[in-house]
Amino acid sequence: SSLFPVFLILSFFMGATGTFFNVPYNAYIQKTIPAESLGKVFTLIFSAMSLTSPVGLALAGPVSDRIGIDNWFLFSGILTGAVGVFCCIFTRKYEKAPLEN
């Protein structure tokens, strides 16, 4: 409970920086997908992203009851950070690659 202000600050930054991922990602999708398929692709992407909330909550409830909410936040935070580092390391080769027209 003493780290709750840190959680709030990190949650704020996570929400505030989401735009820095979403805007280029959506622009990339719009650039690479043919216009006639764009609606279907965005629907599929947003549906898959919306599915993660109920699945995550279905997992978080029983696990946090078993190990405690503080441990759940700790382990899920570490896992989220590890996934971020993993994605950063393994996508470096694509950073300078030009978009094909």
Side-chain angles (χ1 to χ4, degrees), residues 6-22:
V6 175
F7 168 75
L8 288 178
I9 291 169
L10 292 175
S11 294
F12 170 78
F13 282 115
M14 186 174 72
T17 59
T19 302
F20 296 111
F21 167 77
N22 287 325

Side-chain angles (χ1 to χ4, degrees), residues 26-68:
N26 287 338
Y28 175 76
I29 294 293
Q30 290 173 340
K31 177 97 173 146
T32 57
I33 302 296
E36 61 272 4
S37 301
L38 205 51
K40 294 174 188 172
V41 170
F42 273 125
T43 299
L44 179 64
I45 291 169
F46 293 139
S47 295
M49 290 184 345
S50 296
L51 179 66
T52 61
S53 292
V55 170
L57 289 173
L59 175 72
V63 172
S64 63
D65 281 345
R66 183 164 297 239
I67 67 171

Side-chain angles (χ1 to χ4, degrees), residues 50-98:
S50 296
L51 179 66
T52 61
S53 292
V55 170
L57 289 173
L59 175 72
V63 172
S64 63
D65 281 345
R66 183 164 297 239
I67 67 171
I69 194 75
D70 52 344
N71 288 330
W72 172 253
F73 271 98
L74 177 66
F75 294 137
S76 62
I78 291 170
L79 182 61
T80 301
V83 168
V85 170
F86 176 82
C87 290
C88 184
I89 291 170
F90 288 101
T91 59
R92 291 233 183 234
K93 62 184 173 185
Y94 302 109
E95 286 181 2
K96 304 272 187 216

